[in-house]
Amino acid sequence: MNYETLQPTVVREFHQWRRAALMFASCVMIACFFTVASNVAQSVAGRSQRAITLDPPTGWDLQEHAFDAKGNVLPEAPANFRRLGEVTAGEVGSVHTLTLRFSQTVVLTQIETTRDFRVEHGGSCVKGGAYVAGTTCTLLVRFTPVGPGQRLGRLTITHSGSVTRDSFGLGGYGYSPVISFIPAVINTVPGSYPSNVGLLSGAQNLTVDGGDTLWISDTGNGLVRQFDSSAAFKTFASGYTGVLGIAVDTFGQVYFDVPSTGKMYEIYDYGPVVQLSGSGTSGCPASSPCTLSSEALGTPGEMSIDPYNHLFFVDSHSGAAFSTVQPIPANLIFLYDPFPYQQSPSAAMAVDAGDNLYSLWANGGVCEIVQQSLYNAENSNVSFNKIAGGHTCGFNGDGGLAGNAEIGALVGQIAFDIAGDMYFSDTSNQRVRRIDYTTGVIRTIAGNGTAGYGGDGAKATAAMLSGPTGVGVNSQGSVYIISSASSGQVIRQVGPGGYLAFGNQGKGKATAAQLVTVTNTGNSSMTLTNVTITGTNPADFKIDSTTTNCVLTAGAVLSSGQTCNIGVLFTPAAVGARKATLTLLDNTISGADSVTLSGTGVLPSPVFKITAPANGATFTSGTPVTFSVSVTSTSGAQPTGSVQFKVDGANYGSAVTLSGTGTASTSVTGLTTTTHTLAATYSGDSNYAAAGPISVSITVKAAAKVTFTAPAAGATLANGTKVTFAVTVTSSSGTTPTGSVKFALDGSSVGSATIVSGRAVLKGGTLAAGVHTVVATYSGDKSHRASKATETITVSQ
């Protein structure tokens, strides 16, 4: 499934025209308002009296009205922001001249840029330089993107004129491949689990800006938090009860809303918080948009922003709304809702780069993620496409088309990477899943379906998540997830590295191949240079050509959005932990993408069994019991070593060395009349693991003797005489047997008698003339074995 093909070409072209027209209309109709709004905002920010300002740009790529690579009009840039064009990662971008103008005399003490931008030598602005009010100096700045897509950074000037630094926004568009793996390694973001307690509370949404800075709406704590490369969480807004939606535009302005008050806010220039929404009550259809600053919102919730700074958000008026947020809060439109958008502010809703809207439909047993074009939403057209799920809620379908899969009834958030792949937190299933843009295949990228907190440092698909909500993706393919932990929530990071864990494997024996899925989630093709397996035990791991469909020869290309698989075999050469790293050397930003390989070599287990006695066998006291075992292998060398025999948990003699055929035995004597456990343990050798204990249960009983006392042995009885059968039952151990004795005459049962004081008696009838055989059978008891006696009786004519 290709999301783009779901929208006809004519509609896509209309959207491109519409963006250009909308931006042009905004520039014409509200140019004067922009000046006022900008001045108000800067006044609020305390920046109207900056010691340093930027002179107007001189190159078209730096103008407020610029175009992207597809000819789309880009949003008008704020006065303190400069675009530095487009650069392919690994290539040297153009040097841009920025002119600083001084409103007072200052000494520059520091000039800094964030990682996507660098100041080159040759400019007249220098650290330690003194500059008089009214003069200017120049900085030479080069765009060096560390990721694909819209990049965002800052130029920060520290000077003697103020304790507050002057800061200017920098932007550009980068092109680069990005390699993402499934399964990937998962870890908890540092700082989100202080003192084993989750930092966040009830957080619903997060987002990643163009500088790979993470922004979180910490709902329960009423905070907007930031986590950047300094590895520390910072608070940028506080005291907003129930803050929920959050988004960042291409200029670094942060937007959030509070459903309980129906208000939307902007964190202006990384500083003060400014309310954007107003109090009006107009209808705000597409045909006559309102201005955000003049209109009241319903219960605004989850937010999503497109590359052109159109802000989309859940709103109870019609289910969803959108507005341009730069250069001013303008063109608010409440969108038509045929049913995909939910009225709840926490309902998942997102927009892709083509202004298609996505949301969850969970009602009447149906659980689907659906798509609707902005054109249809603006024009009340009841038309939408199913992207994932169907008429059954549940979990199923990984590895197949998302439209045939099952998803849960709760989705926390939906996000997209640069290549257009969709990520969503399948909250009901305790998982985060991805739908590939080019194929429509759905896969789990994190969570094993069990609610909990665990699995850090290993593969994400085996880790536990608990109620995952927010999800976002950075430019390097790392996925951030809000998930519950002890007494709060943490942020888990999936990737960028891959992870294959093979577990325990017999020494010298190859596992079945495990697959790592490789996807180019960037916006340009990945070209492979080489594939290596290095590390501590590289020879133990091997690429399996049978299950690998990635082309791994030098010069092979993996286009943006493409996916392939690499199969890996593990054959441990020794016992213990074994590890290595599979590395793709390529033209990504880092030049290498790696998969951690781990497994543990163990000795194979032999076939170890007891050949005698049989489990449950009964033996007579005083007789020896032969205890025998065999230790063999279905393949490989014959096991050697020894076997330790045990009786009732205690060693019975010394260990017995295996014979050349793998057998060992001992004779067990002196067993008392009770139940005994015979066990054996194999010692192992250099080729085979120790085995056992294995055991059988046997019973030892005393012998019992049955003796006829009536009729007398060899007696001849007169015809018609009534006969009485009597026996004594005695024990070889001196104890008195209990139980009963059965009597049979000429093969037919005549009855049974209970043993009383060692004697059993049964009265019989008359016997016909002739010779008769009488058999007395003792049943045995817990201490005595069964026994019997035979007597011959003659009856005269």
Side-chain angles (χ1 to χ4, degrees):
M1 175 190 64
N2 183 317
Y3 301 155
E4 188 77 8
T5 62
L6 295 175
Q7 183 174 271
T9 302
V10 65
V11 177
R12 292 200 303 271
E13 291 176 350
F14 171 81
H15 280 311
Q16 292 178 358
W17 172 86
R18 181 187 173 283
R19 289 192 195 101
L22 181 60
M23 291 307 303
F24 177 77
S26 297
C27 295
V28 171
M29 292 188 297
I30 57 178
C32 59
F33 183 82
F34 169 66
T35 302
V36 175
S38 178
N39 288 340
V40 170
Q42 291 196 25
S43 176
V44 172
R47 295 302 180 92
S48 60
Q49 300 300 319
R50 283 178 181 232
I52 304 174
T53 56
L54 285 178
D55 269 7
T58 57
W60 177 249
D61 59 338
L62 300 180
Q63 295 295 326
E64 280 80 2
H65 305 297
F67 296 87
D68 69 5
K70 297 181 179 179
N72 295 301
V73 177
L74 294 175
E76 183 177 345
N80 62 342
F81 191 93
R82 292 293 181 268
R83 292 192 181 97
L84 303 188
E86 300 178 353
V87 176
T88 298
E91 297 181 359
V92 178
S94 301
V95 172
H96 298 267
T97 302
L98 302 185
T99 302
L100 305 184
R101 181 170 296 276
F102 301 93
S103 61
Q104 63 186 77
T105 300
V106 298
V107 175
L108 302 187
T109 56
Q110 190 65 265
I111 302 172
E112 299 173 290
T113 56
T114 49
R115 60 180 184 163
D116 286 86
F117 305 88
R118 70 169 185 252
V119 176
E120 302 284 9
H121 294 293
S124 59
C125 302
V126 294
K127 179 180 177 181
Y131 301 91
V132 178
T135 63
T136 63
C137 69
T138 58
L139 282 175
L140 304 183
V141 181
R142 192 187 303 271
F143 176 37
T144 56
V146 298
Q150 296 284 355
R151 304 304 298 160
L152 181 64
R154 311 293 291 180
L155 166 66
T156 304
I157 310 294
T158 307
H159 55 82
S160 61
S162 172
V163 295
T164 303
R165 300 181 298 174
D166 283 328
S167 182
F168 306 94
L170 300 175
Y173 195 89
Y175 293 92
S176 173
V178 173
I179 297 301
S180 298
F181 299 104
I182 302 176
V185 67
I186 188 171
N187 284 292
T188 298
V189 170
S192 70
Y193 198 45
S195 302
N196 297 326
V197 175
L199 177 71
L200 310 178
S201 174
Q204 297 290 311
N205 295 154
L206 57 79
T207 191
V208 184
D209 68 21
D212 290 328
T213 295
L214 186 61
W215 294 86
I216 309 103
S217 55
D218 190 352
T219 307
N221 291 316
L223 304 173
V224 173
R225 297 183 186 269
Q226 178 208 71
F227 181 81
D228 60 17
S229 57
S230 67
F233 282 90
K234 302 174 184 177
T235 298
F236 275 80
S238 61
Y240 295 88
T241 303
V243 57
L244 198 144
I246 190 163
V248 185
D249 68 16
T250 58
F251 305 125
Q253 308 304 313
V254 182
Y255 306 90
F256 68 92
D257 56 33
V258 180
S260 62
T261 62
K263 295 178 181 179
M264 181 179 294
Y265 299 89
E266 175 186 358
I267 303 176
Y268 180 80
D269 200 21
Y270 288 60
V273 177
V274 179
Q275 181 177 328
L276 296 181
S277 57
S279 58
T281 57
S282 299
C284 305
S287 58
S288 55
C290 304
T291 300
L292 178 59
S293 60
S294 65
E295 292 301 316
L297 303 179
T299 51
E302 290 209 17
M303 291 181 171
S304 184
I305 198 163
D306 71 7
Y308 308 96
N309 289 346
H310 295 161
L311 180 64
F312 294 77
F313 53 95
V314 174
D315 187 273
S316 57
H317 279 94
S318 298
F322 93 100
S323 174
T324 55
V325 292
Q326 289 289 343
I328 65 169
N331 294 331
L332 172 67
I333 297 173
F334 293 123
L335 299 174
Y336 173 72
D337 175 18
F339 75 72
Y341 313 117
Q342 310 302 308
Q343 300 296 318
S344 169
S346 62
M349 192 270 285
V351 62
D352 65 15
D355 281 350
N356 296 299
L357 282 73
Y358 300 80
S359 59
L360 173 70
W361 174 247
N363 189 30
V366 176
C367 290
E368 297 177 345
I369 293 177
V370 294
Q371 175 209 63
Q372 185 187 30
S373 71
L374 176 58
Y375 178 84
N376 286 338
E378 289 177 323
N379 292 278
S380 303
N381 290 337
V382 184
S383 178
F384 53 87
N385 300 290
K386 182 181 78 170
I387 301 301
H391 291 281
T392 302
C393 301
F395 175 76
N396 200 358
D398 268 5
L401 292 177
N404 297 330
E406 293 176 3
I407 65 174
L410 291 175
V411 169
Q413 192 172 4
I414 300 170
F416 297 89
D417 61 28
I418 298 298
D421 305 305
M422 176 193 288
Y423 301 76
F424 68 95
S425 46
D426 195 346
T427 308
S428 302
N429 290 313
Q430 315 298 340
R431 291 174 168 92
V432 172
R433 302 168 83 178
R434 186 185 81 192
I435 304 174
D436 291 352
Y437 173 78
T438 55
T439 64
V441 171
I442 188 171
R443 297 177 175 89
T444 293
I445 67 163
N448 62 7
T450 300
Y453 173 61
D456 274 4
K459 65 179 183 179
T461 51
M464 292 185 292
L465 300 177
S466 181
T469 54
V471 61
V473 191
N474 74 4
S475 68
Q476 297 307 303
S478 289
V479 180
Y480 295 96
I481 304 163
I482 299 174
S483 181
S484 295
S486 300
S487 303
Q489 296 170 305
V490 296
I491 299 176
R492 311 287 291 276
Q493 178 179 344
V494 178
Y499 198 101
L500 288 181
F502 290 87
N504 293 337
Q505 179 64 16
K507 173 188 171 186
K509 304 293 182 181
T511 63
Q514 285 198 32
L515 298 181
V516 59
T517 299
V518 184
T519 303
N520 182 353
T521 58
N523 59 3
S524 62
S525 295
M526 183 273 277
T527 302
L528 190 67
T529 302
N530 196 9
V531 179
T532 64
I533 296 180
T534 58
T536 308
N537 313 110
D540 287 15
F541 301 89
K542 178 183 177 182
I543 293 175
D544 176 42
S545 59
T546 303
T547 56
T548 296
N549 60 17
C550 293
V551 180
L552 300 180
T553 55
V557 172
L558 188 68
S559 299
S560 172
Q562 278 192 318
T563 294
C564 62
N565 295 318
I566 299 177
V568 180
L569 302 170
F570 173 47
T571 309
V575 175
R578 316 293 288 175
K579 57 184 179 180
T581 302
L582 168 67
T583 302
L584 306 179
L585 300 175
D586 50 39
N587 63 327
T588 56
I589 294 289
S590 64
D593 296 281
S594 299
V595 180
T596 298
L597 308 175
S598 70
T600 301
V602 297
L603 291 174
S605 298
V607 179
F608 183 31
K609 61 183 180 180
I610 295 173
T611 56
N615 188 48
T618 300
F619 295 88
T620 302
S621 62
T623 60
V625 177
T626 300
F627 188 11
S628 301
V629 298
S630 67
V631 186
T632 58
S633 173
T634 56
S635 61
Q638 171 62 48
T640 59
S642 61
V643 174
Q644 178 64 60
F645 295 99
K646 293 188 176 186
V647 176
D648 298 330
N651 287 348
Y652 188 81
S654 300
V656 178
T657 301
L658 287 175
S659 70
T661 58
T663 62
S665 64
T666 188
S667 181
V668 180
T669 59
L671 296 177
T672 59
T673 55
T674 186
T675 298
H676 298 275
T677 299
L678 306 183
T681 301
Y682 169 56
S683 64
D685 62 13
S686 59
N687 295 312
Y688 296 95
I694 55 176
S695 64
V696 293
S697 179
I698 64 170
T699 301
V700 175
K701 295 185 177 183
K705 183 178 180 181
V706 180
T707 304
F708 272 96
T709 59
T716 299
L717 303 179
N719 192 354
T721 303
K722 289 186 176 183
V723 65
T724 295
F725 305 114
V727 296
T728 59
V729 184
T730 58
S731 170
S732 63
S733 65
T735 59
T736 302
T738 59
S740 62
V741 177
K742 292 181 178 180
F743 293 92
L745 178 67
D746 299 331
S748 298
S749 175
V750 292
S752 64
T754 302
I755 298 173
V756 179
S757 299
R759 190 166 181 265
V761 178
L762 178 69
K763 292 182 179 182
T766 58
L767 301 180
V771 179
H772 299 277
T773 300
V774 181
V775 178
T777 303
Y778 169 52
S779 61
D781 61 15
K782 66 179 182 178
S783 300
H784 297 86
R785 302 196 67 179
S787 184
K788 66 181 180 179
T790 303
E791 184 70 68
T792 300
I793 303 172
T794 302
V795 178
S796 60
Q797 295 291 334

